[in-house]
């Protein structure tokens, strides 16, 4: 049975959170002299002299509307990176508790675990980039607090089988984090609608990819209210700036534009995949549910270097487990993709490896 109180670190259970001026007085007043702000104003045309809403309610109400979940089930982080960090700090006693990761996957799960001195248990994906369920069962013990599942997965691009994630949610008493950074490009549907079914589910999404707001740093977690409350208790009080809250709110009005870009990205992804597989230097193009493509090449390092010399940057993932020879290529505009393909078509097989 899932019991959040059994999972939480003692210091977090006992923590009295920082109470900000904005927490202690909410409402209308004539004169605010409670937060040591600059009473005269800010040097900007807009009033940025006041601290922002620590709970980002306006933004949460808008997100709730779009995502179909109550605002109390939403946590907003300074990027998904903060969501990951807050989860480790809530649950994992340094040097004692462990997290299960499934490489090849997003690098921040591991880096953030190392920063927080969380023990890492790696259970590699299978050859077809799916969860190794028997090995996962073996890896989990009473100190396993978290399992991260990235779906669609970065850098492989595929979605993880839904039935496997459900099996984890049903059989693991810790928290299963499903990272849906690329869900907007996927054929598979989000797990957000399953929150009422699974008390141990945390779904992560972000405004950094499909929404085109990587610079704003807005990441989201969707979970039961109990988990969200703990996350709110731990986060820095003003983790999302006023500018980011306002701009995100404004951007969320443009659902139609974003949906257009998603459709176009998916079309371009399939065009790019078809062009890549025709190149002599490309050995395999993996199926993608994301806005990037993983391609196995004859010589990842050499091709990467050659592209850089031509002013084109892709991601060399060839040193990553199960990704030997692989480059990860973000879907660009039609012009960018065409330039990439034309540039790659200039390479003769074997020529890059001689260079490098
Ligand atoms: C890009 C990405 C994110 C987004 O991180 P932000 O900190 O929100 O920009 C999260 N998870 C995965 C797997 C990603 O690839």
């Amino acid at each position: 049975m899932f019991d959040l109180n059994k999972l939480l670190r003692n210091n977090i259970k006992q923590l009295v959170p920082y109470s900000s001026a904005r927490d202690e007085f909410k409402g209308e007043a004539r004169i605010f002299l409670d937060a040591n702000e600059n009473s005269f104003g800010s040097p900007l045309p807009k009033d940025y002299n006041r601290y922002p809403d620590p709970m980002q309610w306006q933004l949460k109400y808008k997100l709730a509307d779009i995502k179909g979940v109550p605002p109390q089930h939403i946590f907003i982080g300074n990027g998904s990176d903060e969501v990951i960090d807050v989860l480790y700090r809530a649950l994992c006693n340094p040097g004692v508790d462990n997290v299960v990761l499934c490489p090849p996957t997003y690098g921040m799960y591991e880096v953030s675990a190392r920063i927080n001195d969380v023990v890492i248990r790696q259970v590699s994906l299978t050859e077809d980039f799916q969860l190794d369920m028997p090995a996962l069962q073996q890896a989990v013990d009473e100190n396993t607090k978290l399992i991260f599942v990235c779906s669609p997965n970065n850098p492989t691009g595929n979605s993880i089988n839904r039935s496997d994630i459900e099996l984890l949610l049903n059989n693991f008493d810790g928290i299963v984090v499903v990272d849906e950074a690329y869900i907007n490009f996927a054929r598979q549907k989000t797990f957000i609608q399953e929150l009422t079914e699974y008390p141990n589910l945390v779904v992560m999404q972000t405004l950094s990819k499909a929404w085109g707001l990587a610079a704003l740093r807005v990441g989201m977690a969707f979970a039961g209210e109990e988990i969200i409350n703990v996350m709110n208790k731990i986060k820095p009080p003003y983790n999302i700036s006023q500018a980011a809250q306002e701009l995100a709110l404004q951007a969320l009005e443009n659902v139609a534009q974003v949906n257009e870009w998603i459709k176009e990205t998916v079309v371009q992804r399939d065009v790019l995949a078809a062009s890549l597989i025709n190149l002599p230097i490309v050995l395999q193009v993996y199926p993608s549910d994301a806005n990037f493509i993983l391609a196995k090449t004859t010589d990842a390092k050499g091709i990467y270097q050659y592209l850089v010399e031509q002013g084109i940057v892709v991601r060399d993932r060839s040193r990553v487990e199960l990704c030997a020879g692989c480059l990860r290529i973000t879907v660009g505009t039609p012009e960018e993709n065409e330039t990439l393909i034309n540039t790659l078509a200039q390479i003769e097989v074997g020529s890059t490896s001689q260079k490098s």
Side-chain angles (χ1 to χ4, degrees):
M1 268 298 288
F2 177 76
D3 180 356
L4 183 60
N5 262 310
K6 272 201 228 147
L7 290 176
L8 289 178
R9 292 165 67 193
N10 267 326
N11 61 314
I12 299 302
K13 257 188 279 187
Q14 286 157 14
L15 179 71
V16 179
Y18 177 73
S19 182
S20 68
R22 282 298 98 89
D23 289 318
E24 291 187 4
F25 179 87
K26 296 191 187 89
E28 298 297 314
R30 272 193 311 143
I31 299 174
F32 282 97
L33 302 174
D34 59 344
N36 300 347
E37 297 148 340
N38 185 334
S39 300
F40 297 90
S42 80
L44 295 171
K46 258 196 76 101
D47 282 342
Y48 283 109
N49 55 325
R50 301 297 178 186
Y51 279 101
D53 175 7
M55 294 291 285
Q56 309 101 18
W57 282 120
Q58 258 193 302
L59 187 50
K60 282 178 186 171
Y61 272 94
K62 186 75 197 167
L63 284 168
D65 202 30
I66 293 172
K67 303 289 177 181
V69 284
Q72 301 83 349
H73 294 242
I74 306 174
F75 172 86
I76 302 180
N78 193 316
S80 307
D81 299 342
E82 184 170 58
V83 175
I84 297 165
D85 179 69
V86 163
L87 286 169
Y88 282 133
R89 284 192 285 147
L91 303 167
C92 300
N93 291 296
V96 175
D97 292 326
N98 68 71
V99 60
V100 173
L101 304 179
C102 306
T105 193
Y106 185 47
M108 274 312 287
Y109 312 143
E110 179 175 342
V111 172
S112 190
R114 291 194 188 285
I115 291 168
N116 287 292
D117 195 17
V118 176
V119 180
I120 297 166
R121 299 204 167 168
Q122 314 244 26
V123 177
S124 299
L125 295 175
T126 60
E127 286 289 327
D128 55 352
F129 301 143
Q130 290 297 327
L131 297 177
D132 185 339
M133 295 304 285
L136 277 173
Q137 196 178 359
Q138 288 280 312
V140 169
D141 68 10
E142 68 278 6
N143 290 321
T144 307
K145 296 294 183 73
L146 286 162
I147 302 177
F148 277 91
V149 178
C150 188
S151 181
N153 188 40
N154 179 3
T156 58
N158 63 298
S159 289
I160 303 297
N161 292 333
R162 202 175 178 85
S163 53
D164 285 346
I165 299 175
E166 286 166 348
L167 209 61
L168 279 185
L169 285 163
N170 281 316
N171 294 292
F172 175 53
D173 288 334
I175 287 177
V176 179
V177 184
V178 181
D179 186 346
E180 296 186 339
Y182 299 99
I183 193 68
N184 310 74
F185 308 104
R187 280 155 275 240
Q188 207 171 97
K189 69 180 207 289
T190 171
F191 265 89
I192 284 185
Q193 264 67 50
E194 321 305 320
L195 287 174
T196 42
E197 183 130 356
Y198 303 108
N200 58 338
L201 169 63
V202 174
V203 178
M204 292 203 315
Q205 291 190 4
T206 178
L207 298 187
S208 295
K209 304 288 156 65
W211 280 94
L213 299 170
L216 285 195
R217 311 308 303 130
V218 178
M220 300 159 284
F222 302 87
E225 210 171 338
E226 217 189 352
I227 296 176
I228 296 296
N229 289 344
V230 170
M231 297 176 78
N232 282 329
K233 196 163 113 162
I234 296 176
K235 75 175 184 69
Y238 303 112
N239 61 326
I240 310 295
S241 76
Q242 179 67 24
Q245 291 189 42
E246 282 171 6
L247 289 169
L249 202 57
Q250 204 181 317
L252 291 171
E253 295 295 334
N254 295 324
V255 183
Q257 166 71 83
V258 170
N259 283 337
E260 277 302 307
W261 280 330
I262 292 166
K263 265 194 246 161
E264 179 68 5
T265 302
V266 168
V267 169
Q268 286 303 317
R269 175 182 76 201
D270 297 343
V271 171
L272 184 59
S275 313
L276 282 168
I277 198 60
N278 279 329
L279 296 170
I281 51 145
V282 173
L283 304 173
Q284 191 175 357
V285 173
Y286 295 94
S288 173
D289 246 0
N291 66 341
F292 58 83
I293 289 174
L294 189 74
K296 193 184 278 299
T297 66
T298 49
D299 170 29
K301 199 169 158 229
I303 294 164
Y304 172 85
Q305 277 306 335
Y306 162 79
L307 284 175
V308 167
E309 284 159 24
Q310 309 298 312
I312 301 171
V313 193
V314 297
R315 199 88 197 267
D316 179 3
R317 299 280 79 185
S318 60
R319 285 167 306 262
V320 170
E321 201 169 332
L322 300 177
C323 295
C326 287
L327 297 173
R328 193 195 69 192
I329 304 168
T330 306
V331 177
T333 62
E335 299 72 36
E336 289 172 334
N337 299 335
E338 200 184 316
T339 306
L340 171 77
I341 293 295
N342 290 341
T343 310
L344 287 173
Q346 307 289 315
I347 306 174
E348 284 166 48
V349 177
S351 63
T352 55
S353 36
Q354 286 147 27
K355 259 199 221 165
S356 59

